[in-house]
Amino acid sequence: MSYCLNPNCVKPENPDHVEVCQSCGSKLLLNDQYKAIKVLGRGGFGTTFLAVDTKLPGNPSCVIKQLRPAATAPHILAMARELFLREATTLGKVGNHPQLPRLLGYFENENEFYLIQEYVGGLTLQQEVKRFGPKSEEEVKQVLQEVLPILDYLHKNGVIHRDIKPANLIRRDIDNKLVLIDFGAVKDKVTQAMVENAPELSTFTSFAVGTPMYAPPEQMAMRPIYASDIYALGVTCVYLLTGKSPKEIERDPHTGEWHWKRYVKNISPGFAALLDKMLEDSVKNRYQSAIDVLADLQLLDCQETPALAAPTVTAEDDDLSNALAAPPSQGRPRGSAQSSSYASSVRQNAAAARLRQSRMTGSPWGGPPVVGVGSGQHLRPKVTVRMTAAQVLTAYKRGERDFVDVDLSNVVLRNADLSGANFANANFTNADLKGCILTNVVLREANLQGANLSDANLCGAYLVQANFERANLKGAKLQDASISGANFTGADISGADFSMVSGMVQGQLDRAKKNWFTKLPKY
C-alpha cells in the first residue's frame, strides 16, 4: 500500500502500484525516492510515516517526519526554514550515537519540511508496561544506566530532547538496546520563534512544550533547560514502576511533590530519594546533569550491595599483601564508609584472583608458581562482580586497573580508552567494545563470545586462551598481541591486522571469517 502525504487528502490509502493519489492527485513518491506506507503518529505540527527507500537495494524501511507550519506568511516560512536547516544539521551530528536514530535526509517540499530517519523496530517502554506490567526497581535502574549516557551525549552537543517519555524509548529488536526517538527540537524551536515574533499564533504553545505532565514547569513556560530532560526521565521511571500515567498520580498542591511511592510495593529508600530529586519542580533542587544522576546511581548501587568477604591472606602472599596495603585512589566520589568498604573488597578480590591466576599459570604477574595443586583444587574461590559501563569507566578514571573476573556481559563501552587494564577471566559476552583502545590489556581466558570489537586497538594485548567465538573483529588492530590458545571460531576478522601476533599456531584462524584485507602472519 502507498499512503498519500497530503495532509488534506480525504482518502490517503492507495494501491501499491499507483504513482499518484487516486483521491487528490498528489505524487506518492516523496523526493522521487521515499514511499510512505502507513502513519506511525500524528502531532500538532505534522505526521510521522513508516516508509521505504525505493532507491536502495532491498527497499529498506525508514521514517518520514513531515513538519508543517500552520501559518504560511513569508516571514514565518523563512524563519521556519532557517531553524529547520539548523536543527537538521544538529540531528545529523547527534545521530552518530548508536542509540539515536540516524538522520538519512532532509528537504523542503511545497512549504512543508521533511526529515528522513532510520527506522527502529521494537517495543516502546510504554508498550512493554502495557503488555507485561510495571517494572522492578532493578529494571528501572537498568533503564537509567542506558538512557542517562544518551542524555549526557545530547546535552554535550547542545541538544535538549524536550520529549522524554516511555513512548519515545524503544527497545531495539536486533540488540535489545534502548533507543531514544522522536526529537522535538525542530518543532519546538520553530514554534517558539513563531510565538515570540507573532503573538497571534499563541495556539502553537500547546504543541511546543512536549508531553503534558512529563514536562517540568520551566519547559511549560517555554524555557527548557538540560535539567528539563532529567525531570521527564524521572516521570518516565515513575510510570515504569507504577504502570500509571502521570495524571493518575496525586501531587501535593503546595510543594508539587509526587505521591508515587504509595503505588510501588518494593522500593529502596535511596532509589526513591534519587527519583524524588529528579522530579523536583524547583530547578535549583533538581539534578543539573545526567552525569550527576549517574554518579549517585552508581554510589547507590555500591551502598546497597553487601560488602564481599575479603579473601584469606597468608603471610607469604607478599604480592597480595602489597596490593592490599596500597593507599586508596584519590578523587573517589563522595560516599559513606560502606561504599568505601565495598570498593576495597572489590580491589581485594581482584588482587586475590590476579595472584591466584599468576601462581597457577607461572606467569610473571607475581610470585613463584604454586606446586602440588591438583585438578579441581583452587587457592581461593572465584569471585564474580557485576559492573556497568559507567562503573568501569569511573573506576578506570580513578586509576584502578584490575578488573579480574568481572561480569561485563552486554556492556556498551564504545570508543572507551581502557589501555593497560587487567580483564583476566572477565565475561564480555555480547559486549559492545567497538573502537575501544585496549592496548596492552590482559584478557587471558576472558570470554568475548559475540562481542563487538570492530576497529578496536588490541596492540600488545595478552589474549592467551581468550574466547572470541562469533566475535566481530572487523578492522581491529592486533599487532604484537599474544594469542596463544585463543579461540576465533566463527569470528569475523575481515580487515583485521594479525600480521605481528605471537603464539599463533597453524590453522588457528582457519574457522574465522576473513577477506582480502585481513593481514595474517607468515608462518
Side-chain angles (χ1 to χ4, degrees), residues 124-127 129 164-170 214 232 235-237 239-240:
T124 67
L125 291 184
Q126 183 182 54
Q127 291 169 329
V129 170
I164 305 291
K165 59 183 179 181
N168 284 340
L169 285 162
I170 292 180
Y214 282 91
V235 181
T236 296
C237 290
Y239 171 80
L240 299 179

Side-chain angles (χ1 to χ4, degrees), residues 473-478 492-499 515 517-520:
L473 287 154
K474 289 182 178 179
K477 299 177 182 178
L478 293 98
D492 191 340
I493 60 172
S494 302
D497 190 347
F498 282 79
S499 58
N515 64 5
F517 300 101
T518 304
K519 296 182 180 179
L520 301 175

Side-chain angles (χ1 to χ4, degrees), residues 237-264:
C237 290
V238 168
Y239 171 80
L240 299 179
L241 286 166
T242 64
K244 294 185 175 294
S245 67
K247 63 183 179 182
E248 296 179 87
I249 299 178
E250 301 83 1
R251 299 186 64 182
D252 189 305
H254 303 291
T255 65
E257 181 183 359
W258 293 73
H259 296 311
W260 60 271
K261 289 183 280 293
R262 65 183 62 171
Y263 299 105
V264 183

Side-chain angles (χ1 to χ4, degrees), residues 140-363:
V140 175
K141 284 181 178 179
Q142 185 58 43
V143 168
L144 285 175
Q145 292 280 7
E146 281 201 62
V147 178
L148 287 168
I150 303 175
L151 288 188
D152 179 58
Y153 173 84
L154 289 176
H155 296 167
K156 285 180 178 176
N157 281 279
V159 176
I160 307 169
H161 187 278
R162 295 175 173 86
D163 202 14
I164 305 291
K165 59 183 179 181
N168 284 340
L169 285 162
I170 292 180
R171 196 175 303 280
R172 188 164 49 198
D173 284 335
I174 59 173
D175 59 7
N176 213 38
K177 289 183 172 60
L178 290 177
V179 179
L180 180 59
I181 64 167
D182 198 17
F183 282 73
V186 175
K187 62 185 180 186
D188 288 353
K189 285 196 174 183
V190 171
T191 303
Q192 183 173 344
M194 289 179 181
V195 173
E196 291 174 350
N197 289 276
E200 70 274 9
L201 303 178
S202 60
T203 53
F204 287 165
T205 58
S206 61
F207 306 111
V209 295
T211 303
M213 300 300 291
Y214 282 91
E218 74 277 1
Q219 187 171 328
M220 299 295 289
M222 301 293 292
R223 293 293 183 270
I225 58 175
Y226 296 131
S228 302
D229 284 345
I230 302 300
Y231 181 98
L233 183 56
V235 181
T236 296
C237 290
V238 168
Y239 171 80
L240 299 179
L241 286 166
T242 64
K244 294 185 175 294
S245 67
K247 63 183 179 182
E248 296 179 87
I249 299 178
E250 301 83 1
R251 299 186 64 182
D252 189 305
H254 303 291
T255 65
E257 181 183 359
W258 293 73
H259 296 311
W260 60 271
K261 289 183 280 293
R262 65 183 62 171
Y263 299 105
V264 183
K265 291 182 179 179
N266 296 306
I267 189 78
S268 64
F271 189 53
L274 182 143
L275 291 182
D276 281 340
K277 188 172 180 180
M278 294 177 70
L279 293 167
E280 283 280 359
D281 273 2
S282 172
V283 173
K284 66 179 182 180
N285 295 330
R286 194 188 311 156
Y287 282 107
Q288 298 299 299
S289 71
I291 288 299
D292 288 342
V293 186
L294 197 58
D296 277 2
L297 186 63
Q298 294 167 8
L299 182 61
L300 188 64
D301 284 342
C302 290
Q303 291 173 338
E304 292 179 353
T305 303
L308 299 172
T312 303
V313 183
T314 58
E316 61 269 20
D317 286 339
D318 295 332
D319 293 328
L320 180 57
S321 300
N322 292 335
L324 300 183
S329 56
Q330 300 299 314
R332 185 167 296 139
R334 63 188 185 280
S336 65
Q338 188 177 5
S339 64
S340 298
S341 173
Y342 171 79
S344 176
S345 65
V346 170
R347 289 197 305 274
Q348 291 176 9
N349 285 308
R354 185 182 181 204
L355 178 66
R356 178 184 72 244
Q357 195 170 49
S358 66
R359 291 191 171 181
M360 291 180 69
T361 59
S363 69

